[in-house]
Amino acid sequence: MVDCQLEHFVERLAAFESQDLPVVSLYLNAQADQHGKHNYEVFVRKALSERARTFVPDTPERASIDEDLVRINRYLEQKIQPPTQGIAIFACSGANDFFEALQLETPIESNRLFVYERPHLYPLARLLDQYPRYAVVLADTNSAKIFVVALGKVIKRGELQNVKTKRTQVGGWSQMRYQRHTKNYHLHHAKEVIENPERLVREERIDQVILAGDSQTIVRYRASKMYSLGGEVYC
């Protein structure tokens, strides 16, 4: 999962009810060391085992966390994808086999384990704050490329491509009509460049837009309703 609507993921976890059983929240740095190896396996085995022993044997709490340890190790052995830089796992087997896992291409700073009555979400909230979602628009008079960036990675891209206008050497009324046609064409293209990011701001809940382009497009963009939608625009 790169972005995968991380905000919705956090909201779903926040709504989880543990039924008074321990909830495991495990954050792992999945970056390879100088030898190309991961160092989180030892941490998981040691930290989870030590935490499990703090619960009384033969109780629902101990049974739940023991099963969590098995499921977490199985997941780490079988499910981790090569681009992953950070892992977050939330488990409470005693509460209807609750298990949620998140693989990120954005690093998590350190290995950390939390066991509370609910998921510990602060590290995910901090990631959202550190890597806000934004859009980049690269535009000229004939084309535009639009990118959505989340958690430091491009997650969506689009392109507008219109027919290029050509210079003409004819004079008189023909030249004037041609110039008016070209001006109208450029205005129409600039309008498209504006409307597409406006839709992104609404649909993707984007707070920031970076625009690079010709002066005419930027002027029209500044005059658009983007600011009324709550987005910051950097030109």
Side-chain angles (χ1 to χ4, degrees):
M1 183 188 296
V2 177
D3 174 70
C4 197
Q5 301 299 321
L6 180 55
E7 299 93 337
H8 299 305
F9 183 82
V10 172
E11 290 171 1
R12 188 168 71 250
L13 289 173
F16 171 69
E17 298 289 342
S18 69
Q19 303 172 21
D20 296 323
L21 293 169
V23 180
V24 173
S25 300
L26 181 64
Y27 291 89
L28 301 174
N29 183 332
Q31 294 176 293
D33 61 19
Q34 64 270 27
H35 303 295
K37 296 182 179 181
H38 299 109
N39 63 7
Y40 59 76
E41 292 95 341
V42 174
F43 170 83
V44 171
R45 286 195 298 270
K46 181 179 179 180
L48 269 177
S49 297
E50 289 178 352
R51 194 68 179 87
R53 287 195 292 270
T54 64
F55 292 90
V56 178
D58 301 319
T59 61
E61 293 81 3
R62 179 63 179 268
S64 179
I65 199 169
D66 282 345
E67 180 61 24
D68 291 339
L69 193 155
V70 173
R71 295 182 70 186
I72 289 170
N73 281 320
R74 185 186 304 127
Y75 179 86
L76 293 174
E77 291 171 0
Q78 301 177 0
K79 301 294 185 179
I80 305 304
Q81 301 299 313
T84 300
Q85 299 290 299
I87 304 168
I89 299 175
F90 305 88
C92 183
S93 295
N96 299 317
D97 292 327
F98 175 78
F99 189 91
E100 294 278 0
L102 179 70
Q103 296 184 39
L104 299 165
E105 293 185 32
T106 303
I108 289 175
E109 293 181 0
S110 60
N111 303 323
R112 302 188 71 182
L113 170 67
F114 305 90
V115 181
Y116 297 136
E117 70 277 5
R118 60 176 58 89
H120 183 76
L121 301 177
Y122 175 74
L124 289 185
R126 186 179 178 190
L127 277 179
L128 287 171
D129 185 60
Q130 288 178 317
Y131 299 93
R133 189 180 305 188
Y134 64 92
V136 179
V137 182
L138 308 176
D140 59 23
T141 55
N142 300 300
S143 64
K145 294 182 178 180
I146 304 171
F147 306 90
V148 177
V149 181
L151 297 179
K153 180 180 177 63
V154 175
I155 63 168
K156 184 179 293 187
R157 64 188 69 209
E159 186 169 357
L160 297 174
Q161 186 69 52
N162 292 309
V163 179
K164 291 185 178 181
T165 56
K166 298 180 180 179
R167 294 182 179 273
T168 179
Q169 301 299 321
V170 297
W173 289 105
S174 295
Q175 177 69 13
M176 292 175 63
R177 285 196 299 271
Y178 174 79
Q179 289 175 345
R180 285 197 299 269
H181 169 75
T182 301
K183 181 179 179 180
N184 290 336
Y185 166 81
H186 288 163
L187 290 175
H188 175 74
H189 175 68
K191 184 172 181 290
E192 283 190 280
V193 171
I194 292 167
E195 289 176 347
N196 276 269
E198 285 178 350
R199 285 196 296 271
L200 281 175
V201 167
R202 289 191 297 269
E203 296 170 2
E204 300 289 337
R205 295 191 291 180
I206 290 172
D207 295 323
Q208 298 177 346
V209 177
I210 299 173
L211 174 66
D214 61 89
S215 58
Q216 184 183 61
T217 301
I218 291 177
V219 168
R220 288 182 63 83
Y221 203 92
R222 287 186 180 277
S224 73
K225 61 183 179 181
M226 178 64 67
Y227 293 97
S228 67
L229 295 174
E232 295 183 66
V233 182
Y234 303 89
C235 301

